[in-house]
């Protein structure tokens, strides 16, 4: 079975459509695993939710999903993120709000554990450094973990011989991670707002027969998303950052 692994869609319908079309391209897609932040920042929260929910979806919530439904105060958000969260809140129907509210913070699927941030603080913590990766791995009950939140594609390999207890890699487009005995954490990068300096949408495909997780980067119609954001009067920096992948 082939499964699309996505994170941080952020209401970017053009990026999400491009990713799902690519994932469906070669063979039928079994499931979609979403690591949170479907909404926030972008112009199409409801349409992104509707598109994702047409698939056999496994999904955890992110901080922006929680902010949009009032489960998380926006005090800790920067001004632009808070403005987008309030705009997003007005776009969601009661049914869409209760869907986001119903999502479990951690989901286990076979050999994988899905969470937005880390298993220590599922909604908020960024997995950037080896010490945070180790705190996450201590709580990971499956061989493989999937996280989002940083919007940066990353691979962590647990390695007791390494000085810091694990090794961190930043995989490029087309990298296939072979799943074997080692314990891993994978971040597929951000679909709707990449932040590694590459503006292309980022996601991964898990092939359960080949036992690989392959990273993909895809160009999408950034200008179309930006036009919609301008029409919605969303903050200028949020519009511009899509062009530079930050
Ligand atoms: Zn995010």
């Amino acid at each position: 079975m082939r499964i699309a692994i996505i994170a941080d869609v952020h209401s970017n319908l053009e990026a999400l459509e491009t990713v799902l079309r690519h994932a469906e391209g070669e063979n039928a897609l079994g499931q979609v695993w979403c690591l949170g932040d479907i909404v926030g920042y972008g112009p199409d929260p409801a349409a992104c939710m509707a598109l994702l929910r047409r698939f056999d979806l496994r999904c955890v919530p992110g901080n922006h999903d929680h902010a949009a439904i009032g489960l998380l105060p926006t005090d800790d958000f920067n001004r632009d993120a808070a403005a987008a969260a309030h705009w997003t809140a007005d776009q969601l129907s009661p049914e869409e709000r209760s869907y986001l509210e119903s999502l479990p913070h951690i989901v286990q699927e076979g050999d994988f554990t899905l969470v937005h941030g880390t298993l220590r603080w599922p909604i908020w913590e960024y997995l950037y450094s080896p010490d945070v990766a180790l705190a996450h791995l201590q709580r990971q009950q499956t061989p493989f973990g999937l996280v989002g939140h940083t919007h940066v594609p990353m691979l962590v390999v647990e390695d007791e011989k390494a000085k810091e207890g694990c090794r961190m890699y930043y995989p490029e487009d087309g990298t296939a991670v072979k799943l074997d005995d080692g314990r891993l954490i994978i971040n597929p990068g951000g679909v709707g707002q990449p932040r590694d300096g590459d503006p292309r949408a980022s996601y991964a495909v898990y092939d359960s027969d080949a036992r690989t997780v392959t990273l993909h980067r895809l160009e999408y119609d950034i200008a179309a998303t930006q036009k919609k954001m301008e029409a919605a009067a969303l903050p200028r920096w949020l519009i511009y950052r899509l062009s530079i992948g930050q």
Side-chain angles (χ1 to χ4, degrees):
M1 181 159 71
R2 292 170 69 260
I3 293 163
I5 304 170
I6 63 169
D8 299 290
V9 173
H10 284 299
S11 306
N12 187 332
L13 184 63
E14 286 70 30
L16 180 62
E17 284 174 340
T18 299
V19 158
L20 291 174
R21 209 177 299 126
H22 181 264
E24 285 186 301
E26 307 129 56
N27 289 295
L29 201 55
Q31 289 177 343
V32 174
W33 293 352
C34 176
L35 308 171
D37 281 0
I38 300 176
V39 305
Y41 293 130
D44 282 309
C48 287
M49 287 184 66
L51 174 54
L52 278 176
R53 291 170 74 186
R54 278 193 235 140
F55 291 82
D56 184 0
L57 180 66
R58 303 289 182 273
C59 189
V60 293
N63 52 319
H64 287 263
D65 301 319
H66 274 190
I69 56 173
L71 278 183
L72 193 73
T74 52
D75 312 357
D76 290 338
F77 279 41
N78 65 49
R79 206 179 51 188
D80 288 345
H86 296 135
W87 181 87
T88 302
D90 289 340
Q91 311 296 313
L92 299 176
S93 70
E95 194 278 332
E96 286 157 347
R97 299 170 71 88
S98 63
Y99 174 78
L100 291 177
E101 198 172 353
S102 74
L103 296 173
H105 295 190
I106 297 168
V107 166
Q108 216 164 293
E109 279 293 324
D111 286 343
F112 290 83
T113 305
L114 286 57
V115 69
H116 183 63
T118 71
L119 291 173
R120 182 163 61 180
W121 290 305
I123 303 297
W124 253 113
E125 189 172 35
Y126 291 93
L127 204 157
Y128 271 129
S129 60
D131 57 314
V132 177
L134 284 187
H136 173 103
L137 282 164
Q138 280 166 8
R139 293 162 174 83
Q140 185 175 297
Q141 288 164 3
T142 57
F144 314 121
L146 300 172
V147 301
H149 196 32
T150 66
H151 303 203
V152 174
M154 194 185 63
L155 166 67
V156 178
V157 179
E158 189 176 54
D159 182 356
E160 285 165 12
K161 290 188 211 112
K163 196 175 83 197
E164 290 169 311
C166 62
R167 287 174 283 130
M168 302 180 96
Y169 302 94
Y170 298 91
E172 291 177 356
D173 182 24
T175 303
V177 179
K178 184 80 190 142
L179 304 176
D180 48 32
D181 299 337
R183 278 158 48 84
L184 307 172
I185 310 166
I186 294 171
N187 186 325
V191 170
Q193 194 200 77
R195 289 184 191 161
D196 60 346
D198 181 343
R200 294 178 298 171
S202 186
Y203 88 109
V205 172
Y206 167 45
D207 184 328
S208 64
D209 301 316
R211 302 281 294 164
T212 54
V213 175
T214 305
L215 268 291
H216 296 286
R217 299 305 288 259
L218 300 169
E219 283 178 17
Y220 71 95
D221 192 348
I222 294 174
T225 306
Q226 290 174 319
K227 255 195 206 121
K228 291 185 197 171
M229 292 174 79
E230 274 163 27
L234 284 159
R236 297 219 61 81
W237 160 243
L238 300 184
I239 299 171
Y240 175 65
R241 70 190 304 179
L242 297 181
S243 300
I244 55 170
Q246 286 300 337

